[in-house]
Amino acid sequence: METAFKNIAALIGDPTRATILWTLLDGKAFTATELAIAADTSPQNMSMHLTKLVQADLLSVESQGRHRYYKFSRKDVAYAIEALANLIPAARNTPAVEQDSAVKYCRTCYDHLAGKIGVAITDSLISQEILSETFDLTTKGNKWFGKIGIDVDVLKQQRRTFIRPCLDWSERRHHLAGAVGAALLDMMLAEDWLRRTRQSRAIVVTAEGEKMLKKHFLLTPSSVHV
Amino acid sequence: METAFKNIAALIGDPTRATILWTLLDGKAFTATELAIAADTSPQNMSMHLTKLVQADLLSVESQGRHRYYKFSRKDVAYAIEALANLIPAARNTPAVEQDSAVKYCRTCYDHLAGKIGVAITDSLISQEILSETFDLTTKGNKWFGKIGIDVDVLKQQRRTFIRPCLDWSERRHHLAGAVGAALLDMMLAEDWLRRTRQSRAIVVTAEGEKMLKKHFLLTPSSVHV
DNA sequence: CAAATACTTCAGTCTACACTTAAATATGGA
DNA sequence: TCCATATTTAAGTGTAGACTGAAGTATTTG
């Protein structure tokens, strides 16, 4: 079993493969070519790496015409990558000028909203007593989610974890994950409060989104630094 | 940030370093020489690897005389390694003769009891309604822990997570972790129900332990296969 | 149907970095 | 004080496996 562990570790340890996994944290499926561009390598090389990851059952492929879409084969993989990302050493001496990209402030973490905005929204949910300190949904919270169009009873039926806290690697604070976290992100994207950007995990807030974030979560633009 | 992730991944990806981390999952501190033996390499080489892991703040060292004790620098590291271990492909076709070592049945996972016995104990706690299905301690459970000599109120004061479920890589089932899980293991070792083995993560059940496991968790030797 | 795109396969090459040999430093014990 | 043990440091070597170039297989498009 120790050998199996070494194999998994070696698989994740290669820089190119690490980049693949990092990119896929987005939660979307990517084609081989997209991943080759993201990892700045040749298609042949990417193909070789993807084959290895699929063989180890870390990724799964789905063919659609001449494209092959790669994604995590199971949630556990995303969780493990998240756990690794949490080991990134905390920013040492914050530079005078904030150099971090938008990703730090607003990005997705597998299938839910992370980054500064994810943490801010989660804080707001707790202070509004929609969530308890222990990440349980309150009676008040049940009603609140219904009002914004998310049927929590349906989410409870799902096999996946209903609510779980996810520790963010940049903010080092918990934010909302699980079925509820994913549903919240889906809603925000569907309602066009947020929009995905093309090649990155960054998310942008629309004008409408800014209004709605203020209304529902009492967030001002400055409080999320977008 | 992506670069930082690659660095972490590369650090964990080397077979020798993976073995170090795997060994340390035990929760104990090891000397450089012990780790060199465990990883089947030279002391010089081990020294080089340990230096890298300490520099990346994955491990911390404590000097005691001419020995240097290495352990995880923070809990997050152990959690990440656990998450990785969960990616080990599930046993495909179980061989006719069970080849797995005792480790599979009874071992520690960072600082709490995992393996078949860890899962069995957790199941028992839930069926006895000491824990709820959602891993919350019940009123009944509060009393129960007091009776076996564990003061849960003291544990609640600790900064670490009070109770958390940990997914076991061999059993693929949740078992008890967090402060309560660690306290339970400590108690069992202190009362000599269980004993650590010399060079491995395996744990053996003493004669006394067998009696007590039966008494408190309704576990028969066959139900834990020890 | 030919041409373009998406992706894979199979050789051969090349280099990062784990490992070795050798020697130095520090602590403990007789 | 001298020797054994624990560990680190330094310099040189060897190789696993990532990458490249060339060619092959699907699929779509015009």
Side-chain angles (χ1 to χ4, degrees):
Chain A
M1 223 61 183
E2 186 188 319
T3 312
F5 178 75
K6 281 193 232 178
N7 292 340
I8 292 281
L11 220 46
I12 292 175
D14 173 77
T16 302
R17 287 192 293 263
T19 304
I20 297 171
L21 297 167
W22 176 260
T23 305
L24 289 176
L25 254 197
D26 196 334
K28 289 189 299 185
F30 284 78
T31 66
T33 305
E34 284 170 342
L35 289 169
I37 292 167
D40 191 29
T41 188
S42 67
Q44 311 93 289
N45 194 31
M46 182 50 64
S47 180
M48 182 269 288
H49 286 300
L50 288 171
T51 303
K52 289 190 180 186
L53 290 169
V54 169
Q55 270 169 359
D57 193 32
L58 295 188
L59 302 188
S60 63
V61 215
E62 202 176 323
S63 292
Q64 260 174 51
R66 59 183 165 183
H67 296 280
R68 308 199 75 198
Y69 286 92
Y70 290 87
K71 62 175 205 285
F72 290 132
S73 66
R74 43 209 162 100
K75 296 218 168 62
D76 292 14
V77 182
Y79 297 162
I81 304 303
E82 278 175 9
L84 275 187
N86 272 321
L87 301 183
I88 294 174
R92 319 213 168 273
N93 18 8
T94 314
V97 177
E98 184 59 76
Q99 296 254 338
D100 300 313
S101 69
V103 168
K104 176 163 174 184
Y105 298 116
C106 198
R107 61 185 177 76
T108 55
C109 182
Y110 193 38
D111 62 2
H112 51 274
L113 200 58
K116 194 164 277 238
I117 204 172
V119 169
I121 286 178
T122 304
D123 284 349
S124 171
L125 291 176
I126 292 175
S127 71
Q128 290 183 68
E129 292 180 341
I130 290 163
L131 288 183
S132 74
E133 294 283 350
T134 54
F135 269 77
D136 290 307
L137 197 63
T138 62
T139 322
K140 187 174 169 187
N142 240 302
K143 280 184 214 154
W144 185 88
F145 273 100
K147 240 189 310 190
I148 62 165
I150 293 174
D151 186 344
V152 286
D153 292 322
V154 170
L155 297 180
K156 272 182 186 153
Q157 305 299 321
Q158 294 180 13
R159 189 179 293 184
R160 71 181 294 186
T161 307
F162 178 60
I163 288 192
R164 83 184 166 90
C166 175
L167 186 61
D168 188 83
W169 52 264
S170 58
E171 295 301 315
R172 313 244 146 203
R173 304 261 311 276
H174 286 289
H175 59 262
L176 191 63
V180 175
L184 205 56
L185 173 61
D186 286 345
M187 181 276 281
M188 290 182 183
L189 289 169
E191 298 287 328
D192 199 39
W193 297 9
L194 307 177
R195 259 178 237 157
R196 286 185 187 280
T197 52
R198 197 166 292 266
Q199 293 280 6
S200 102
R201 292 170 58 205
I203 292 257
V204 296
V205 182
T206 64
E208 172 71 6
E210 220 166 273
K211 260 192 274 173
M212 298 312 265
L213 287 177
K214 188 169 181 179
K215 179 177 169 192
H216 290 103
F217 305 109
L218 320 169
L219 301 186
T220 57
S222 75
S223 78
V224 293
H225 291 98
V226 175
Chain B
M1 224 57 183
E2 185 187 319
T3 311
F5 179 74
K6 281 194 233 179
N7 292 341
I8 293 281
L11 219 46
I12 291 173
D14 173 76
T16 302
R17 287 191 294 262
T19 304
I20 296 171
L21 297 167
W22 177 261
T23 305
L24 289 175
L25 256 198
D26 197 332
K28 290 188 298 186
F30 285 78
T31 66
T33 305
E34 283 169 343
L35 289 169
I37 292 166
D40 191 29
T41 189
S42 66
Q44 309 92 292
N45 195 31
M46 181 51 63
S47 179
M48 182 268 289
H49 286 300
L50 288 171
T51 304
K52 289 191 179 182
L53 290 170
V54 169
Q55 268 169 0
D57 193 33
L58 295 189
L59 302 188
S60 63
V61 215
E62 201 176 321
S63 291
Q64 259 174 51
R66 57 182 166 179
H67 297 279
R68 307 199 75 197
Y69 286 93
Y70 289 87
K71 61 177 205 289
F72 291 129
S73 66
R74 44 210 162 101
K75 295 218 169 59
D76 292 13
V77 182
Y79 297 163
I81 304 304
E82 280 175 8
L84 274 187
N86 273 320
L87 301 183
I88 293 175
R92 316 211 171 275
N93 20 6
T94 314
V97 177
E98 184 57 79
Q99 296 254 338
D100 300 314
S101 70
V103 169
K104 177 164 174 185
Y105 298 116
C106 197
R107 58 183 181 77
T108 54
C109 183
Y110 193 42
D111 63 3
H112 52 274
L113 200 56
K116 193 164 278 236
I117 206 172
V119 170
I121 286 178
T122 305
D123 285 349
S124 171
L125 291 175
I126 291 174
S127 70
Q128 290 183 68
E129 292 180 337
I130 289 163
L131 290 184
S132 73
E133 293 284 349
T134 54
F135 269 78
D136 291 308
L137 196 64
T138 63
T139 323
K140 187 174 168 186
N142 241 303
K143 280 181 214 156
W144 184 89
F145 272 100
K147 240 189 312 190
I148 62 165
I150 292 173
D151 187 343
V152 287
D153 293 323
V154 170
L155 298 180
K156 271 181 187 151
Q157 307 298 321
Q158 294 182 12
R159 188 180 292 184
R160 72 180 293 186
T161 307
F162 178 58
I163 288 193
R164 86 183 162 91
C166 175
L167 185 60
D168 189 80
W169 53 265
S170 59
E171 295 301 316
R172 312 244 145 205
R173 305 261 311 279
H174 285 290
H175 59 261
L176 190 64
V180 174
L184 204 56
L185 173 61
D186 285 346
M187 182 275 281
M188 289 183 185
L189 289 170
E191 297 288 327
D192 199 38
W193 298 9
L194 306 177
R195 260 178 235 155
R196 288 186 186 280
T197 52
R198 197 165 291 266
Q199 292 282 5
S200 101
R201 292 169 58 206
I203 292 255
V204 295
V205 181
T206 63
E208 173 71 5
E210 222 166 90
K211 262 193 273 177
M212 298 312 266
L213 288 176
K214 188 168 179 182
K215 178 176 169 191
H216 290 103
F217 305 109
L218 320 170
L219 300 186
T220 57
S222 75
S223 79
V224 293
H225 292 97
V226 173

